[in-house]
Amino acid sequence: MNALEQSGFMVRQAHHYDRPTRLEDGEQGIVGWLAQFGGDYFEGFNHEEIQQICHETSRIAMPYLWKEDAMYADYKRLRIEAVKPGISF
C-alpha cells in the first residue's frame, strides 16, 4: 500500500483472503500449473529434468493441496480500495 500512498492515494480499506482454485487434471494438477507458470524457474533445465521436478513437487504438495476430488492452488487475493484526494468522477 505504500506505493499507492507515495503516488498520492489514500487507502480506505484492504482485504486479504484465501482464494483456493481448483486445478484441472486430478492428481497431476500441479504439474500443469507449474508448466504454465513456472517458466523462468526452469531456465537451464532440459525437458526430462523439468518433468521430474514437476512430478516431485506434485508428490510433496499433494497432502497440502488435495481436497476431495482435485488439487487446489492456494491462491491469495488482495483487494484494495484507494482514492486520490481532489479527484472526483
Side-chain angles (χ1 to χ4, degrees):
M1 287 183 279
N2 196 25
L4 288 169
E5 292 165 345
Q6 287 176 353
S7 296
F9 286 89
M10 181 178 67
V11 176
R12 287 189 169 170
Q13 58 183 322
H15 299 279
H16 173 261
Y17 56 94
D18 296 333
R19 186 182 173 269
T21 302
R22 186 179 193 276
L23 301 175
E24 299 299 319
D25 301 326
E27 293 183 11
Q28 299 302 310
I30 199 74
V31 174
W33 187 91
L34 287 169
Q36 184 172 0
F37 297 107
D40 293 341
Y41 295 107
F42 298 130
E43 191 172 313
F45 292 100
N46 66 41
H47 180 74
E48 286 182 11
E49 291 170 324
I50 293 170
Q51 288 300 305
Q52 183 179 359
I53 292 167
C54 290
H55 287 284
E56 179 67 8
T57 301
S58 180
R59 185 188 67 74
I60 293 167
M62 179 74 70
Y64 305 100
L65 301 180
W66 184 265
K67 292 177 182 64
E68 298 172 16
D69 64 341
M71 295 277 276
Y72 282 78
D74 57 349
Y75 287 124
K76 306 293 182 185
R77 174 75 42 107
L78 180 61
R79 181 171 290 157
I80 299 171
E81 177 188 358
V83 295
K84 197 158 194 176
I87 297 178
S88 59
F89 294 97

